[in-house]
Every structure is written in structure tokens, then in C-alpha cells.
Amino acid sequence: MVAHYRIVEKIGAGGMGEVYLAEDTKLKRKVALKFLPPHLCQNDDCRERFKREAQATAKLNHPNIVTIHEVGECQGRPFFAMEHVEGKPLRSCLKEQELDQEEILDLTLQICEGLNKAHEMGITHRDVKPSNIVIDADGRPKLLDFGLAAIQGVDRVTKTGSTLGTIGYMSPEQIQAKEVDQRSDLFSLGVVLYEMVTGRLPFVGDHEAAVMNAVLNEAAEPLSRYKSEVVDGLQNIVSKLLEKDRELRYQTTGDVISDLKRLRRDSATSIVSHTPRARTTKTTRYLVPALFIIIVAIVLILKPWQFEVRSTHEAVADDNRLAIMYFDNLADPTDSQKLGEIATNLLITDLSESRYIQVVSSQRLYDILKMLGREGEKKIDPGVASQIAKKAKATWMLQGSILRMEPKIELTAHLVEVSTGNAVASQRITGEQGETIFTVVDKLTVDLRDDLSLPDEARAELDRPVADVTTRSPEAYRYYLEGVDYGYKHYFSEARQSLKKAVELDSTFAMAYFRLAGLSSGAELKEYRRMAMKYSEKASHKERSYILCYEVFYSGEHLRALKMLEEIIDRYPDDKEAYYFAGVMSQYNQDEDHKAIEYFRKAIEIDSLYGTAYNSLAYSYNEIGDLENSIWAINRYIELAPDEANPYDTRADLYARNGELEKAIESYEKALEIKPDFHSSRLKLAYLYLFARRYDIAEKLYRGLCSDSNANRRSLGRLLLTYIPIYQGRLDAALKTLDDMVIARRVEQDKMGESDFHLVRASIFEEKNELETALTEMEKATEEFFKTYPDERYYSLHIYIRLLAENAHFEKARSECEMFRDEIERHDSSAIWTYWFALGCVEFAQENYEESIARLEKAAENEADFSTQYMLGRAYLMSGRLGESVNQFESTLNRYEASRAGSTIWSVKIHYYLGQAYEASGWNKKAIEQYETFLDIWKDADEGLKSVEDAKERLARLKNES
């Protein structure tokens, strides 16, 4: 209860507030309560801004503005009660459906009416954007979130020169931190209107600075570029709203309303302009033929098509867009050896080498089949084939059959013009005895090049045998295609098995090594990368480009790798994988998730059924704090693949990272119901049961790993069994479990987890305050890790350096840090966060807390690892930055993931330190809750643990004081 409001559930959170659905027990109605977050309550500026939002909105009474009912405070936290709107944000509406122009004009008019009311009251919103406009059940838009509002006659609370707003929707004067007035809202309204019409923002860039530059200096593309048949006059309104000089922009909202109403009236009667008139004037009669003659003259004399800014081969390639249908294996109707699929893919690869033909990828054909409800079909009748070709925007279509496999392979193919359905050429190719499918496909390629009537320049192109850009082994190619199929389903274990068989059959198969690298880590990843590069000349142009691009990426040159992908996209514009890979690479770069989202959405534009892209899109939305769209994306993947385990696993990850423990457990269980050997879900599910303190189920899952057929998983299972007593604070019991493991390890001659074995022991001895023993164990862990992974020694050094500092070996710790950095820069720049983490821990041990914060924040910028977040929270606490400490611990506690489970002791002690942060902030009730949680988890903990004794003393004192 908060005053007379009963809180039902949390429904939203943002930078300046947390919003809860509540019941007004007096008036028996639903309301929304907005609270200032706890960590901002001590900040006078934030409190003032929050109060100002309530004051601003409370002054307004309009059907297009959310109503404020009451302003209050509870336990030191300001809040206000406002109208609860049953509906959804405009942002969600734009994602779910395309609005027609009548709807757009109607919504914009109503938004203007609400803004006009605010402007009349002397209030400038300053953050007009789709997520701050909610559409109620009656389709009425309502403005909300006046948290950045500027109120006429009220002193500014923000510091001079500060920039408030949302990048992409801000006016030029906002970006330049100038004083703003209602004209700034009109610019933002122009951005929203542009987005409603086109589905995209008018000002975009690779990063915030680029977007700001676009707002200040670049003109928006015309609406007609993205939307045909735009109502006459709408472009004029948008252009005037987006005028960069506010003196030339609309001056009042009333002016915009007048123009919109006039436009709506005119567009409603515009059909009259399309009705033929009975009479024409003399001028028109002579003008139309004259214009026609002039246009013909321009066409014949100037030949404007020659001024296209693209090379001839690109133009020819567009004109020769070829869709190759799956070859029907008449000789073996079940296609048991996948010869039909192999022939199709080889022919696509072979013809794609030409810059004068644009070949539709096999994956694109597969995607279109899915769209038509014919997933997995290989035998395609002419009618369906024509549908596929038209959806692929192909000029030509090739249908083929395998007539005979023994003693000679015999193929037949028919080239069809898609627009007419006429067959323009036929080929019948018979191989010599002993010739493979590769040679027969080469012969067919030569014939097809002739039939397509390519220019003379095409004949000069090098036409390498298809075996030279793939493999000479049909069996290897079959396993390769099988591995790719498994990979798309995220069945990585099966994918690895198939791809490994491919390279066993052909040790020079470059693309099989490339795909294996994408499924590997550590030393295996490096070896597969090396082999892919070694044989990269045995790949097609596109595939070789991918191999080189990823090699650049792994070397740490992420921006250069992205540029290389853009070049692939230029040449192969319908290759969805290029956009997908670009999105994945963007995810690796700090603050590039918005760019990643753009790439993933582009891949989905090419293939609306691209489950893998929806999967990655969901993670990117989550990283920018947009849980609503994150869940939308993953639920879309589930709709597309309800019988696959991976989308449920991903949804569980998203729930887990947002504190939804039970929902995450339910979704992991669903993944395992579909695929019981989906080990990713099994392992993460065990962690969640550990966090939920359902230790019996966690133990059952860990023991299941101990009996797994895979030796590595058995080793991991034995180690994870120690997590349960460690999580309970029963450290001596955990040490005994580790000792018992030694026998089983000796029987199996298991050396795989030797370093982890010592690492866990080190963490136990550290908590027991036996620091020298902990350091000795960590030295053993590091030594064992180096033996197993000699090229990756940097992966464990950050923990070793932290324990050196804990033991006051500061000079050695700093020296190791510098050598550590050299190792990372030589081998893997993406691991640089471990260096900053180690250095931050050294500063912490020396009580240089501000320096520690600076280093740990750099680590957190590169990797949201639990240990980094935990140490950063402690550093904030020790430096007296209590609000930041509370915020850090609270957000970290809200994420349930593997890195937290791996820091088993710290994942419990975070409650202890959050209790201290609350206590120091004067929030005693919250402190009591955290100490009680900590002591409840460690109720059976070993005697003599300092943190337990201290927590008991603090808890007793706080209870006495209360």
C-alpha cells in the first residue's frame, strides 16, 4: 500500500521514474503510480525535475494528455498518481502495423491538440517521441512523460549547457543546448510524423554524434523515397516542421493544426481531381502533345539512362536476376544422397561468381518456400516455381532434374522467362563415366551463360571449376549442407558433428572450417580460423569475402570488418546473412546496439521468417533497455518455429536478465521439453533453480550432467555439484565434495577441468580469509589453464592479479597487469575488459576507490560480467557514492545469468553489501530486508565467516533502533 493505493504490479521504468499499476481503494479505479527511483531521491535536481513533471502535467486538462490525480511522497520517495491508460505506446503501434494516411493525419491532429493545450499553459514538453504517446482503447493518442518539460516562469533546474531529450527526436536548438520554446516540440512532432509515414527516422547515423550532425546539417530524405502516393501537401507540412532555423519553422501549434485540417479536407475530396473532364481548354489540347514530343526528344537525343550512377555490370546483373529451383532427383525420388540439393547449391555458387548475373541464394528460395507454406519441399511444380521466382523478383527461372546417376550422371534444365512463363532454352548434360556432379554442373554453367546472352565482357571472366571453390567430395558437401541447416536451428552440437565430418572427408574445405569457427571458442576457434584462411582461395568470391572479413574482425578491427560487410552487401543485396553478420559484429561494439537493430531488421525485411535474426534482434533490444520489443521479437521467433528449442531458451535468457525468475524457469523447461538434450537450457535452468533455492532440482540437473555421454559435460557436472554447498555458505562441505571429485577424475583421467577445480578452491579459501592458500590455489589454476590453452593465458590472469592484490603484493600485481595488457592486445582485444577489471581490483585493494571506480567502469563498458558489476558496486559503496552503489547492486541483483552463478559466493554476498548501502543511505527497512535475505541463504553457513557475523550484528542493531 502507498497511501490509499494498492500496488498491483510494476509496468514500466525509465531514466526518471518507475511506474506501477495500482488500485485507488477510495474511488475504486485503476491508476498508474510514478515514483522517483531510490538512487535519485537524494539528488535535489532530480527531485525538482520529478516534482516539476507532476506540476506541469497537473496544470493540463485535455483528452489528449494523461491526467494527474495526486502528488505525494512515501518513505522519502516522491510519487504522483495519474490516469491509467488501457492501450499501447505509439512506438508499438508503428512496429505492429502500417498506418494509412487518414489514420496518420487523425493521430497527428490529436497530438497537436494536446501539445497546443500545453503550449497555451506555457509548457514545452521537450521530449515528444512515439514512446511518450500512448494510444488508448478508443484509438485516442495521449501525451505523457513531461519529465523534461520547460515551464514558463519557472527557474531552470538543469545546468546551463546540458542537453536533455532523446537523440533523433531532438531539435537543433536542443542539441546545441540553447533555450527552447514550443517550436522545439514542433520539430520533434515533425520527426514523429515523418516516422509514422515512412517507418523510419529522418535523421540517422552510426553513433549519437553522427545523428546530431544529421539533425544540425543534413536535410531529411523526401517522404516519397520511402512511401509512394503521399497525400499532396503532407511533404510541405513535414518540411516546415523539420526546418532547422526555428524562425522559419511553424511558429505555433495552431498553425500546424490549421494546415493539417486543410490537408485532411482536401485529401478527402481529391478523388474529384482524378475524374475525367468532359471538355479541355485549347491550351491543354496543344500542351500535352508538345510535352510528349519534348520528352521523346530528350529520351532519344540525351539518352538519360546512361547517366545512372552504377557500373554496367551491375545494371546487367539486375537485368539477369536468376532463380534456380531445387533439382528434382527423378533417378532417386527420395534424394537419399541429397544430390538434387547438392546440384542446386553448386550451380548457385558457380554462377554467383559472375558479376553479370545476380543469382538468388538457395537460402532465399528456402525462405520463400516457408512463406508459401511449403517448407522443406524439394519437388516444386511449375506454378509454384513461378510464384517463387516472382517473389524473388527474378528475371529468369531455372528448373532442373537429375535423370540418371549411374553409370553416368545426366541432368536436364529449362530456362524460363518469369514475366511471360515462356521457356527460352533447354539443356541436357551427360557426364562421362566416373565424372562427379561437380564436373557436370560446370558443363551446365557454360551452357547457361550462353543462353542468358551475357555481354562480351562476361566471357572474359575467369570461370573456375566449381570444385575449386567448394570441395571435390560430394559426401563432404552433403555434410556441409546438413551442418548449415542444423546451425540455422541453433542445434550447434549436431552442426559441429556434421561440419567435422565434412572436413574429415576434405581437409581443404574452407567454408566448412569457417562455419566450424563460428561454433567454437578458444584454441579450436583459432585453429579453424587458421584453416579457413589457409584454404580461402578454395572458396567462392562471396564466401572468401566472409572468411577475410571475420579474420579482420577477430583481430580487433571491428569497424574495418563492418566496412567489408557493407561491400558484400553492395554486391549481393539480397544476402540476408551479410546483414545478419553486420548486426552480430555491431553487438560487439559498445553503444552499437541501435545499429545492430537496424541490420537485423534489414535482414528480416529480406526474409520475414528469419528466426535467427529475430533471435539476435531480441538480445539487442534488451541491451538498450527495450524489454517490450525484446519480448515481441522473440515471441515472433517462437511463432515461426514453435517446435524448436532455441527461441524458448532465448526468451528465458531475456526474462532472467530482467529479474523474471519464474518466467525464465518456465521457458527453459519448455526448451528442454522440445529437445531434452538442449544442453544450454539445462545448464542455465540449473543455475536458476540454485538462485530460487530449490536445491533438490538444481542437484538433479547437475547429477544429470555427471552421467552425460560427453566427457567434458561429466567433468562440468561434478564441478557444479559444489555450487550448491558454496551457495549455502557450507564451504567445508564444498571442499569435501571437491576432494571426492578427485577419485572420479582419476578414474576417467579427466584433466579438462583441472584449472576450474583449483579456481573454485581459491574462491572458497578467499572467503574463509585464508588468503595465502587462496593465492596458491589460484597459481595452480593459472598454471593448469596455461597447459591446456597455451595461447590464451590472458583469460584467467585477472583473477590471479586480484588475489595478488588481496595478499598485498601490489607491486607484482601492477607488473602482472602491464604484461597482461600486452598479452590481450596481441591475442584478443575483445578481452580488454579483464585488464581493466584486474587494475580496478588492485586499486580497490589499495583503497584508491575513485581510481578503482574509473577502471571498473571501463571494464563494465566492454563486458557486463557479474564480477565487474559486483566490484563496481562495492567501490561506489566504499567511496561514499551511495546512490550509485544502490543502483549498481539493485540492477545487478535483477540479472540471473551464468556469470553470476560462476561467482557463487559473491552472488549471495551482494545482498550483504546492498544492505550496507541501504543502511548508510538511511533506508533501514530495506537494509533489514537485505541482511535477512543474506542470512537466510547462509543460515547453515560455516562458523566464523566474518560477513555472517557482521550481518547479524548490523541486523540486530537496526531492529533495536526501529
Side-chain angles (χ1 to χ4, degrees):
M1 296 294 294
V2 174
H4 56 281
Y5 301 105
R6 178 179 291 109
I7 290 180
V8 178
E9 63 179 336
K10 188 174 182 178
I11 56 176
M16 280 298 294
E18 299 172 344
V19 185
Y20 294 82
L21 175 63
E23 179 191 6
D24 184 335
T25 57
K26 287 184 179 180
L27 299 178
K28 303 300 180 184
R29 64 182 176 185
K30 289 182 179 179
V31 297
L33 299 185
K34 183 169 182 177
F35 288 84
L36 188 64
H39 63 282
L40 297 180
C41 288
Q42 296 184 8
N43 186 306
D44 291 339
D45 280 2
C46 292
R47 290 176 72 93
E48 186 60 23
R49 276 175 60 195
F50 188 85
K51 186 168 74 174
R52 187 173 62 161
E53 177 184 0
Q55 292 171 339
T57 317
K59 292 170 67 177
L60 305 173
N61 183 15
H62 191 276
N64 297 118
I65 298 175
V66 171
T67 304
I68 293 291
H69 299 312
E70 180 185 355
V71 180
E73 190 166 301
C74 177
Q75 296 182 356
R77 290 184 69 184
F79 75 91
F80 60 83
M82 59 184 170
E83 168 191 9
H84 173 62
V85 182
E86 297 280 357
K88 61 179 65 175
L90 177 59
R91 163 71 60 221
S92 300
C93 295
L94 295 179
K95 284 180 168 40
E96 293 173 1
Q97 66 184 67
E98 183 177 341
L99 302 177
D100 64 41
Q101 295 190 34
E102 186 178 348
E103 289 174 310
I104 291 169
L105 290 176
D106 185 58
L107 286 173
T108 308
L109 260 172
Q110 293 187 67
I111 295 165
C112 281
E113 297 283 2
L115 273 178
N116 195 45
K117 179 66 175 178
H119 293 167
E120 287 176 353
M121 301 295 289
I123 298 169
T124 303
H125 190 287
R126 296 208 296 179
D127 199 20
V128 176
K129 59 183 179 181
S131 54
N132 282 341
I133 300 166
V134 65
I135 311 298
D136 69 14
D138 296 323
R140 182 192 300 116
K142 287 178 176 279
L143 280 161
L144 49 83
D145 203 347
F146 281 68
L148 304 181
I151 307 172
Q152 187 176 330
V154 177
D155 291 337
R156 292 182 56 167
V157 260
T158 54
K159 297 176 183 177
T160 302
S162 65
T163 301
L164 293 175
T166 303
I167 299 296
Y169 296 91
M170 292 166 64
S171 65
E173 54 268 30
Q174 274 180 291
I175 287 175
Q176 293 169 324
K178 295 178 179 178
E179 289 285 346
V180 300
D181 56 27
Q182 62 188 34
R183 292 172 295 181
S184 179
D185 283 349
L186 298 183
F187 186 96
S188 301
L189 174 67
V191 177
V192 174
L193 177 52
Y194 188 103
E195 190 175 9
M196 283 198 283
V197 175
T198 67
R200 63 192 71 214
L201 289 171
F203 307 109
V204 295
D206 294 342
H207 44 75
E208 287 190 357
V211 177
M212 289 180 174
N213 178 66
V215 172
L216 292 172
N217 301 306
E218 296 176 9
E221 294 283 353
L223 299 175
S224 58
R225 177 173 179 182
Y226 304 112
K227 181 82 170 182
S228 60
E229 299 177 358
V230 173
V231 177
D232 292 338
L234 185 57
Q235 179 65 64
N236 294 336
I237 293 175
V238 170
S239 297
K240 196 168 179 181
L241 285 167
L242 295 179
E243 175 59 52
K244 299 185 190 303
D245 184 344
R246 56 181 162 184
E247 297 301 325
L248 302 178
R249 201 179 300 156
Y250 280 105
Q251 298 299 293
T252 69
T253 318
D255 294 338
V256 187
I257 292 172
S258 296
D259 281 359
L260 284 168
K261 286 182 176 178
R262 189 178 302 111
L263 177 60
R264 186 168 64 172
R265 180 199 64 196
D266 294 344
S267 63
T269 58
S270 64
I271 189 168
V272 176
S273 66
H274 298 290
T275 304
R277 297 188 179 185
R279 299 174 62 188
T280 59
T281 65
K282 182 177 179 181
T283 306
T284 307
R285 230 178 16 248
Y286 289 109
L287 180 60
V288 172
L291 284 174
F292 179 77
I293 292 168
I294 291 169
I295 291 169
V296 170
I298 291 172
V299 170
L300 294 177
I301 299 169
L302 298 182
K303 299 181 181 178
W305 58 79
Q306 292 183 356
F307 292 99
E308 280 190 275
V309 186
R310 58 176 183 165
S311 62
T312 307
H313 63 252
E314 287 172 332
V316 174
D318 286 347
D319 292 339
N320 288 290
R321 186 171 170 84
L322 175 64
I324 301 173
M325 301 299 147
Y326 285 110
F327 273 60
D328 186 9
N329 193 342
L330 300 178
D332 175 14
T334 64
D335 202 21
S336 57
Q337 298 178 38
K338 292 193 175 182
L339 199 62
E341 189 174 346
I342 289 172
T344 307
N345 281 276
L346 287 175
L347 190 56
I348 289 172
T349 299
D350 203 7
L351 285 169
S352 294
E353 288 290 271
S354 172
R355 293 184 68 90
Y356 294 87
I357 312 172
Q358 194 176 107
V359 185
V360 180
S361 69
S362 60
Q363 189 58 44
R364 181 69 181 129
L365 296 176
Y366 175 76
D367 298 333
I368 294 171
L369 276 168
K370 280 201 297 185
M371 290 181 203
L372 296 174
R374 296 172 174 272
E375 182 176 359
E377 287 188 19
K378 299 295 189 292
K379 188 178 178 66
I380 304 170
D381 63 55
V384 174
S386 181
Q387 277 184 276
I388 295 169
K390 285 176 181 175
K391 284 188 176 294
K393 299 178 181 177
T395 313
W396 308 97
M397 170 178 73
L398 186 80
Q399 284 191 284
S401 303
I402 299 175
L403 303 178
R404 191 171 54 180
M405 295 166 60
E406 297 289 344
K408 300 176 182 180
I409 297 175
E410 187 172 357
L411 304 179
T412 183
H414 305 284
L415 188 64
V416 177
E417 187 176 43
V418 175
S419 61
T420 63
N422 295 330
V424 295
S426 294
Q427 300 83 19
R428 189 182 186 101
I429 307 295
T430 304
E432 297 299 324
Q433 191 159 348
E435 283 187 336
T436 65
I437 187 67
F438 300 95
T439 308
V440 177
V441 165
D442 284 330
K443 292 178 179 179
L444 179 56
T445 300
V446 171
D447 283 2
L448 280 170
R449 280 171 169 265
D450 290 337
D451 292 332
L452 286 169
S453 303
L454 299 178
D456 292 339
E457 293 88 345
R459 302 178 190 282
E461 287 184 304
L462 176 65
D463 184 16
R464 299 165 66 192
V466 71
D468 287 355
V469 293
T470 52
T471 174
R472 296 185 180 280
S473 166
E475 276 291 289
Y477 200 70
R478 180 170 67 82
Y479 280 119
Y480 170 74
L481 294 177
E482 186 177 85
V484 172
D485 284 343
Y486 280 131
Y488 274 117
K489 294 180 179 178
H490 287 248
Y491 293 167
F492 297 137
S493 178
E494 292 87 342
R496 283 169 57 84
Q497 288 176 19
S498 296
L499 291 168
K500 282 185 174 180
K501 286 177 181 175
V503 295
E504 284 171 9
L505 289 163
D506 180 359
S507 62
T508 68
F509 198 166
M511 276 306 288
Y513 286 120
F514 172 75
R515 299 282 184 182
L516 275 169
L519 298 171
S520 306
S521 60
E524 272 195 338
L525 166 63
K526 285 191 172 181
E527 178 60 15
Y528 290 138
R529 277 171 50 199
R530 187 184 71 80
M531 296 299 283
M533 278 296 294
K534 180 178 179 180
Y535 298 110
S536 59
E537 290 303 315
K538 278 184 55 61
S540 69
H541 174 270
K542 180 171 69 174
E543 293 168 338
R544 186 164 62 253
S545 298
Y546 277 136
I547 293 170
L548 296 174
C549 173
Y550 263 80
E551 193 58 29
V552 169
F553 175 78
Y554 284 124
S555 70
E557 296 183 73
H558 295 176
L559 293 178
R560 184 178 158 215
L562 269 173
K563 185 172 177 59
M564 293 172 72
L565 273 175
E566 291 286 358
E567 291 170 0
I568 296 173
I569 288 168
D570 284 343
R571 179 162 175 181
Y572 306 98
D574 72 339
D575 186 358
K576 66 181 184 182
E577 276 199 320
Y579 287 101
Y580 175 75
F581 288 150
V584 171
M585 287 184 181
S586 296
Q587 285 179 321
Y588 276 84
N589 296 330
Q590 183 67 14
D591 298 327
E592 289 289 341
D593 279 288
H594 285 91
K595 190 170 181 179
I597 287 169
E598 288 180 26
Y599 282 123
F600 293 138
R601 292 191 73 91
K602 181 61 181 176
I604 290 166
E605 281 179 30
I606 295 171
D607 171 20
S608 62
L609 307 180
Y610 195 0
T612 301
Y614 280 109
N615 190 72
S616 295
L617 179 64
Y619 283 120
S620 282
Y621 272 132
N622 185 66
E623 285 303 307
I624 65 171
D626 190 348
L627 180 60
E628 180 184 0
N629 273 315
S630 178
I631 296 300
W632 163 80
I634 199 57
N635 282 342
R636 177 67 178 133
Y637 184 13
I638 288 172
E639 288 172 19
L640 296 172
D643 298 326
E644 291 181 19
N646 183 66
Y648 296 98
D649 179 83
T650 297
R651 186 170 67 180
D653 286 349
L654 299 171
Y655 282 137
R657 293 178 187 185
N658 288 277
E660 300 278 5
L661 189 60
E662 291 304 319
K663 286 183 178 179
I665 287 174
E666 181 183 354
S667 208
Y668 283 135
E669 294 277 17
K670 179 65 177 177
L672 287 170
E673 178 187 322
I674 292 170
K675 196 171 191 299
D677 62 344
F678 201 68
H679 300 294
S680 170
S681 287
R682 183 173 298 281
L683 188 58
K684 288 180 283 191
L685 182 62
Y687 293 152
L688 293 200
Y689 277 125
L690 181 69
F691 295 137
R693 290 184 256 172
R694 291 152 76 175
Y695 303 122
D696 55 335
I697 305 179
E699 182 177 354
K700 181 180 178 182
L701 289 166
Y702 289 148
R703 290 198 179 279
L705 282 172
C706 293
S707 57
D708 194 275
S709 59
N710 182 280
N712 289 345
R713 284 195 283 270
R714 289 198 299 275
S715 177
L716 178 62
R718 287 192 290 265
L719 185 70
L720 294 178
L721 278 172
T722 65
Y723 280 24
I724 297 173
I726 293 173
Y727 192 80
Q728 296 170 324
R730 298 187 299 115
L731 306 184
D732 288 336
L735 285 172
K736 184 178 185 309
T737 302
L738 284 167
D739 290 339
D740 292 342
M741 280 172 52
V742 174
I743 299 171
R745 290 165 62 80
R746 283 174 181 165
V747 170
E748 285 205 19
Q749 297 183 340
D750 173 19
K751 288 287 185 181
M752 289 303 298
E754 191 72 23
S755 60
D756 291 330
F757 173 84
H758 291 291
L759 181 60
V760 172
R761 287 175 62 88
S763 68
I764 292 172
F765 285 117
E766 181 186 10
E767 185 59 27
K768 289 167 71 71
N769 204 34
E770 299 177 27
L771 297 180
E772 288 186 10
T773 307
L775 182 59
T776 300
E777 289 291 339
M778 194 61 229
E779 286 170 343
K780 291 178 182 177
T782 306
E783 182 182 344
E784 289 297 330
F785 194 91
F786 292 173
K787 286 180 185 176
T788 310
Y789 307 106
D791 295 331
E792 298 168 32
R793 59 190 306 270
Y794 50 88
Y795 273 123
S796 63
L797 273 175
H798 61 296
I799 306 172
Y800 170 61
I801 291 169
R802 182 177 63 78
L803 283 173
L804 278 174
E806 287 288 316
N807 278 272
H809 301 319
F810 301 124
E811 187 175 338
K812 185 175 181 182
R814 289 186 181 277
S815 173
E816 288 283 346
C817 266
E818 294 317 304
M819 289 190 289
F820 183 28
R821 183 168 192 166
D822 291 342
E823 288 279 342
I824 292 170
E825 289 176 345
R826 276 202 307 272
H827 295 286
D828 185 2
S829 60
S830 67
I832 193 64
W833 72 271
T834 54
Y835 163 76
W836 291 114
F837 172 83
L839 196 54
C841 290
V842 174
E843 299 290 2
F844 186 93
Q846 291 189 274
E847 301 182 4
N848 301 325
Y849 299 120
E850 288 301 326
E851 289 84 351
S852 175
I853 288 170
R855 275 54 172 187
L856 290 169
E857 283 179 339
K858 286 186 76 70
E861 284 176 9
N862 290 276
E863 176 63 46
D865 179 80
F866 174 83
S867 58
T868 303
Q869 307 296 331
Y870 171 85
M871 285 302 298
L872 185 53
R874 287 191 63 192
Y876 284 139
L877 175 62
M878 296 303 294
S879 69
R881 292 162 62 170
L882 300 178
E884 289 165 288
S885 179
V886 166
N887 186 45
Q888 184 66 50
F889 284 137
E890 284 182 340
S891 62
T892 306
L893 264 175
N894 208 37
R895 292 174 68 100
Y896 297 98
E897 50 193 342
S899 67
R900 178 173 170 182
S903 302
T904 318
I905 292 173
W906 288 2
S907 68
V908 179
K909 288 188 70 175
I910 191 171
H911 293 285
Y912 167 63
Y913 286 115
L914 177 55
Q916 289 187 26
Y918 280 143
E919 183 181 355
S921 302
W923 300 331
N924 291 351
K925 184 177 179 181
K926 286 181 173 290
I928 288 171
E929 289 174 357
Q930 291 302 317
Y931 290 139
E932 286 180 337
T933 300
F934 171 62
L935 291 171
D936 186 46
I937 298 173
W938 276 18
K939 61 180 179 291
D940 298 321
D942 297 343
E943 294 291 331
L945 295 179
K946 287 185 177 181
S947 53
V948 173
E949 293 171 357
D950 183 59
K952 287 178 179 177
E953 291 175 9
R954 289 173 181 271
L955 181 61
R957 183 175 65 252
L958 289 174
K959 284 188 172 181
N960 287 335
E961 290 173 359
S962 64

